[in-house]
Structures are given as C-alpha cells and as structure tokens.
Amino acid sequence: MRCRNGSLLTFFCLAAFLSLSWYAAWYGDRANGGELYEKQFFDLQQRLFLAEQENQKRSRDLSTVLDEIKRAVEEKRNAFENHTVEEIRWKVLNMSSRLPVQFANVYMFLPHLHGHEEQMQPNVLYGQDRTGVSIVFGIPTVKRDKQSYLMDTLNSIFSELTANEKRDCVVVVFIAEVNHDYVNALANAIKNNFPQEIESGVLEIVSPPVNYYPDLSNIKETFGDSKERVRWRTKQNLDYSFLMLYAQPKGTYYLQLEDDIVAKPQFFQYLKSFATQQTSDDWLILEFSQLGFIGKMFRSKDLPFLTEFFLMFYKDKPIDWLLDHFLWVKVCNPEKDAKHCDRQKSNLRIRYRPSLFQHIGTHSSLSGKIQNLKDKDFDKKLLYKAHPNPSAKVSTSLKIYQQYNLEKAYMGQECFWAFSPVAGDFILFEFAEPLPVKGYLFKSGNIEHPGDKLFNTTVEVLPAKNISKATADFPIIEDGYLQIGKFVSGVAEGVISPSIGKIKAVRLKILSESPVWALLSEIFIKMD
C-alpha cells in the first residue's frame, strides 16, 4: 500500500504510523498494559484493511462509470461521423465519398437540422448531373420586388461560350427561395428560355429544402445595420454555402457570380487560361471583378474549408468580410502591421485585370435598396490587352524594366517592357507539348509609349517534325526554326500554315540594335 498526498489513505497511513509507535511502547514495557496495546493495534490494523478494501471498491466503481461514459461518447461520435459525413455531406449534398475532405460540422452550425437529414437534400429541378468539367459557375438568385436581371445574365454567359466551352463547364442557378409556387414558376421560365442548355446539361437549376434556413427573425443587429439588412446578409451567407457545397464535386474550379451581371467576350478562355497558368499553388482566390463577391474563383477542393468558415460565422458578418477574415487567419501575423498583412494576403488573393464581369443591377435583392455599383476596371482603357494564351514557358535575353516582365505580359496581367534590344536578343515561348497553333499577334508600343516598338524583328516557330530545306515554304534557321513573319510598324500578325504541323516553340528574334526600348502590349498565340 502506498500513501499519496491528497488521498483518502493519508489519514490511515498516519494512524498506522501512530499504531507502530504504540507497538514500540508496548514492546518496551509489556508489564504495563501490553495486552491492551496489542488489542488496539490489531483493531486498528483490521479497520485499515477494511478501509483499503472500500477504497479499491470505489475506485473500481468509478472506473466502470468512466468506461461507460467513454463508450457512450464514442458511440455518439461514431454515429455522428458515419451518419452525418457520409449521408449528409456526400450523399445528401450529392458529393462523392471518395473525396478526402470531410465536412462534419454542419449540425454544429445549423442545429435545427439535427435529425432532419432530408433538409440538406437539394431540390434538383432541372439538370443532367454533369461532372468532370473545368469550371462550375454558381449563380444564386432570389425574388426581387422590382426588376429581375437573371435572364439577361444567363443570356450574356451562354452567348459568349463556344460549343466546346459549353461542354467543359456547368452553370448552376440556385433559386434561394422556399416558396414552392415561386420556385417552380421561375425554374420553368428558365427552362423555356434555355431549353438546349438544360437538355445538354450545361445548365442546372436547384433550390434548397423548405426547412434549410433557421429562424432569422431574432438575428442580432450589428455594425449599425437594420434588422432587415442583417437578416438579408445572413441568409445570403447560407445561400452561398449551400450552393458551393452542391457545386463542389462537379469541376476543378468554382466561380461565384450573381444574378445581375454581364460577361466580357471570350471570358471563359481568360478564366481557364489565368487559372491554369498560375505558377504557384499558394493562391486561394482569383479575382475577375473588384466588386463584392462577383467573379471570385476558387479551387473546388478548397470549398469545404471555406463553407465551414462561412457557416461558423454566418450570423456575424457579410460574406466578403468573412472571406477577408479567412485570409487573415491563414497568413497574417498579429504582431505585424496592416501593410505586412496586406502583402501576405496578396499572395493568396490574385487580381486579374481588366475585369471580366460587370454589375448591371440597379435594384438590389435587399428590398428598397438602390445600388449603382460599377466595376471601373471593366471598360478601362489599359496600356495592354490580355489574350487567352496556351500554357508555355517564357524567357528572354532582354533586360526587363521594373515589374514589366514577360510572364505577366503573357498571362495578360501587364505589358512587357525592356531596355533597348541589340542584335541576337530574343523573346521565347516554349510549349510543354507540341501544339497545333493557328496564328499569332504581337503588338509593340502603347498609347503612353508609342515609340517603344520592335523593329527589324522576325517571328519564328520550331516545328515538332523535321522539315527539309527542299520542301520548306519558309526560310529555315540553323537551329531548326522556321521564319514565318516579321514586325511591320511595330506589329506582327499572321496565320500559321497547316503544313508546318504542331509547334514546339515560338520565338521573336531581334536582328539589329534598336535606339529605343521595347514594349509588348499584346501577345496572342491563337489556338482556334
């Protein structure tokens, strides 16, 4: 038996010590009441034994109770995980159980759904359950008191998509209302306006179950917003989260749009090209509009983390604020200043210019609100023009001026600007695999620097197949390149002959020294 501080046995240990002292006294003087001391010692020893037995019994009882509690907690946890994760997230939200990320906290944030798994089941009104696309476009829409812009928005999107692009995307319209008559009427109106898109599977229409939304009548008013505005923005957070989770397994990227926007021509090419050409995997958001939550692109694999964060604070702040807080949590150091935080966030939030989407709505979905928001970058006259170029490794022998590098110019983020070239300088675009390039456009100079053009510069391509001088239609350079064009008045544009076949690289070669700097405001390697 061991004596521990704070134990029930401490008293008995002390008693044992005293009894031993009594025993020693008895042993030293047996003539003076020794038998009495002996009896007392054995009585104390018996009581100590019984106390130890009782302590062990209570310890066993306590262990049994703790084991029962652990077992009950484990059963609850297993039941919650097995049921909620598999049935609610993957099955109910139509997601593949093969995905590694799990979203198990929906009941914690929306406790009114506990025991009502069917309330996470989307109502798929029209659609072919298309998956495996590059981009999923999410468009939430609600009933407006005034004008609706949804049909104009869909017209703008589908009119700017080619047949191939329509096969590589899906547009999900989420009717964020629970009124059965209204939802069905709007869904049928969309179907009647876009029957081919519904039939092909590029357009899907879904709505939430009737009890998806919690009671929003007693939402706490914050940041000086009225109760109606707080209710509106809170519901909006729930709308975005539901739509994101539904769209997540359908494609590689997810682009958030609104029901009152128009799109620029060739927007899909710019979206896909900009996303696939990112040199780092650190990004979280690609922004194709500076307004609110319009034109924000995410990797689909990141959506479960985002939606969990949104649902955690859906009552507290608007969605664009929550998105900024998510970035802050990921990369900002509270011991650094705001400028340092902004620099860190800029690595996760990458802006594309010019904007690809413009807000057209005047009447907000919030009743009575008039908003004349316009994206100033949408029609901005820039010093360069972006084009959807194929993925390539770019390099140059020219000395670059400041931030105007070739990588940004090729991706349509900036112009390319370099110090005066000399004979033998080059600008090179190399493809990972030979491509069937159809044509090219290179424009030098811009409205601010019209004289910074390329002179005496040729356009050359490296064919994938060997071409002999005897059969070549173009001059062959010693290193195997074919000279197919040249700059005239600062511009090189042409069609590439199909006889050349697939191309491994495109090169601009300067043949003589130039007295001026070189600026490329357009780079376009045409694939279609």
Side-chain angles (χ1 to χ4, degrees), residues 491-503:
V491 178
E493 184 173 15
V495 176
I496 298 178
S497 172
S499 64
I500 295 177
K502 292 185 177 181
I503 291 172

PDB file of all heavy atoms in Angstrom, residues 491-503:
ATOM      1  N   VAL A 491       4.013  45.826 -85.451  1.00  0.00           N
ATOM      2  CA  VAL A 491       3.029  44.755 -85.293  1.00  0.00           C
ATOM      3  C   VAL A 491       3.427  43.561 -86.146  1.00  0.00           C
ATOM      4  O   VAL A 491       3.858  43.714 -87.297  1.00  0.00           O
ATOM      5  CB  VAL A 491       1.618  45.227 -85.700  1.00  0.00           C
ATOM      6  CG1 VAL A 491       0.608  44.076 -85.579  1.00  0.00           C
ATOM      7  CG2 VAL A 491       1.175  46.408 -84.852  1.00  0.00           C
ATOM      8  N   ALA A 492       3.270  42.356 -85.556  1.00  0.00           N
ATOM      9  CA  ALA A 492       3.464  41.108 -86.297  1.00  0.00           C
ATOM     10  C   ALA A 492       2.210  40.273 -86.131  1.00  0.00           C
ATOM     11  O   ALA A 492       1.818  39.953 -85.004  1.00  0.00           O
ATOM     12  CB  ALA A 492       4.684  40.353 -85.782  1.00  0.00           C
ATOM     13  N   GLU A 493       1.567  39.944 -87.253  1.00  0.00           N
ATOM     14  CA  GLU A 493       0.334  39.170 -87.210  1.00  0.00           C
ATOM     15  C   GLU A 493       0.281  38.249 -88.415  1.00  0.00           C
ATOM     16  O   GLU A 493       0.661  38.652 -89.532  1.00  0.00           O
ATOM     17  CB  GLU A 493      -0.888  40.085 -87.200  1.00  0.00           C
ATOM     18  CG  GLU A 493      -2.219  39.354 -87.065  1.00  0.00           C
ATOM     19  CD  GLU A 493      -3.395  40.293 -86.901  1.00  0.00           C
ATOM     20  OE1 GLU A 493      -3.244  41.495 -87.164  1.00  0.00           O
ATOM     21  OE2 GLU A 493      -4.474  39.817 -86.486  1.00  0.00           O
ATOM     22  N   GLY A 494      -0.171  37.026 -88.203  1.00  0.00           N
ATOM     23  CA  GLY A 494      -0.256  36.111 -89.323  1.00  0.00           C
ATOM     24  C   GLY A 494      -0.902  34.786 -88.976  1.00  0.00           C
ATOM     25  O   GLY A 494      -1.160  34.488 -87.803  1.00  0.00           O
ATOM     26  N   VAL A 495      -1.155  34.013 -90.013  1.00  0.00           N
ATOM     27  CA  VAL A 495      -1.709  32.664 -89.888  1.00  0.00           C
ATOM     28  C   VAL A 495      -0.579  31.669 -90.131  1.00  0.00           C
ATOM     29  O   VAL A 495       0.252  31.855 -91.024  1.00  0.00           O
ATOM     30  CB  VAL A 495      -2.850  32.446 -90.900  1.00  0.00           C
ATOM     31  CG1 VAL A 495      -3.349  31.005 -90.834  1.00  0.00           C
ATOM     32  CG2 VAL A 495      -3.986  33.424 -90.655  1.00  0.00           C
ATOM     33  N   ILE A 496      -0.549  30.619 -89.344  1.00  0.00           N
ATOM     34  CA  ILE A 496       0.486  29.597 -89.481  1.00  0.00           C
ATOM     35  C   ILE A 496      -0.012  28.487 -90.393  1.00  0.00           C
ATOM     36  O   ILE A 496      -1.096  27.933 -90.176  1.00  0.00           O
ATOM     37  CB  ILE A 496       0.890  29.041 -88.107  1.00  0.00           C
ATOM     38  CG1 ILE A 496       1.481  30.164 -87.243  1.00  0.00           C
ATOM     39  CG2 ILE A 496       1.888  27.895 -88.249  1.00  0.00           C
ATOM     40  CD1 ILE A 496       1.876  29.739 -85.852  1.00  0.00           C
ATOM     41  N   SER A 497       0.756  28.175 -91.388  1.00  0.00           N
ATOM     42  CA  SER A 497       0.359  27.176 -92.384  1.00  0.00           C
ATOM     43  C   SER A 497       0.189  25.800 -91.748  1.00  0.00           C
ATOM     44  O   SER A 497       1.046  25.364 -90.961  1.00  0.00           O
ATOM     45  CB  SER A 497       1.408  27.100 -93.495  1.00  0.00           C
ATOM     46  OG  SER A 497       1.139  26.023 -94.370  1.00  0.00           O
ATOM     47  N   PRO A 498      -0.900  25.104 -92.078  1.00  0.00           N
ATOM     48  CA  PRO A 498      -1.095  23.750 -91.543  1.00  0.00           C
ATOM     49  C   PRO A 498       0.008  22.785 -91.954  1.00  0.00           C
ATOM     50  O   PRO A 498       0.219  21.761 -91.291  1.00  0.00           O
ATOM     51  CB  PRO A 498      -2.443  23.323 -92.143  1.00  0.00           C
ATOM     52  CG  PRO A 498      -3.133  24.609 -92.496  1.00  0.00           C
ATOM     53  CD  PRO A 498      -2.051  25.553 -92.883  1.00  0.00           C
ATOM     54  N   SER A 499       0.718  23.095 -93.037  1.00  0.00           N
ATOM     55  CA  SER A 499       1.798  22.208 -93.499  1.00  0.00           C
ATOM     56  C   SER A 499       2.941  22.125 -92.501  1.00  0.00           C
ATOM     57  O   SER A 499       3.714  21.162 -92.511  1.00  0.00           O
ATOM     58  CB  SER A 499       2.321  22.699 -94.855  1.00  0.00           C
ATOM     59  OG  SER A 499       2.913  23.993 -94.722  1.00  0.00           O
ATOM     60  N   ILE A 500       3.064  23.115 -91.647  1.00  0.00           N
ATOM     61  CA  ILE A 500       4.135  23.097 -90.635  1.00  0.00           C
ATOM     62  C   ILE A 500       3.855  22.053 -89.560  1.00  0.00           C
ATOM     63  O   ILE A 500       4.763  21.475 -88.974  1.00  0.00           O
ATOM     64  CB  ILE A 500       4.297  24.502 -90.020  1.00  0.00           C
ATOM     65  CG1 ILE A 500       4.767  25.492 -91.083  1.00  0.00           C
ATOM     66  CG2 ILE A 500       5.272  24.479 -88.844  1.00  0.00           C
ATOM     67  CD1 ILE A 500       4.892  26.915 -90.582  1.00  0.00           C
ATOM     68  N   GLY A 501       2.576  21.778 -89.296  1.00  0.00           N
ATOM     69  CA  GLY A 501       2.205  20.814 -88.257  1.00  0.00           C
ATOM     70  C   GLY A 501       2.259  21.423 -86.877  1.00  0.00           C
ATOM     71  O   GLY A 501       2.230  22.653 -86.704  1.00  0.00           O
ATOM     72  N   LYS A 502       2.360  20.576 -85.878  1.00  0.00           N
ATOM     73  CA  LYS A 502       2.407  21.053 -84.494  1.00  0.00           C
ATOM     74  C   LYS A 502       3.721  21.780 -84.213  1.00  0.00           C
ATOM     75  O   LYS A 502       4.751  21.475 -84.811  1.00  0.00           O
ATOM     76  CB  LYS A 502       2.218  19.902 -83.519  1.00  0.00           C
ATOM     77  CG  LYS A 502       0.819  19.304 -83.554  1.00  0.00           C
ATOM     78  CD  LYS A 502       0.635  18.252 -82.476  1.00  0.00           C
ATOM     79  CE  LYS A 502      -0.799  17.723 -82.471  1.00  0.00           C
ATOM     80  NZ  LYS A 502      -1.015  16.721 -81.410  1.00  0.00           N
ATOM     81  N   ILE A 503       3.640  22.707 -83.259  1.00  0.00           N
ATOM     82  CA  ILE A 503       4.769  23.600 -82.991  1.00  0.00           C
ATOM     83  C   ILE A 503       5.236  23.435 -81.544  1.00  0.00           C
ATOM     84  O   ILE A 503       4.430  23.359 -80.622  1.00  0.00           O
ATOM     85  CB  ILE A 503       4.354  25.063 -83.263  1.00  0.00           C
ATOM     86  CG1 ILE A 503       4.145  25.251 -84.771  1.00  0.00           C
ATOM     87  CG2 ILE A 503       5.377  26.047 -82.735  1.00  0.00           C
ATOM     88  CD1 ILE A 503       3.560  26.583 -85.123  1.00  0.00           C
TER      89      ILE A 503
END
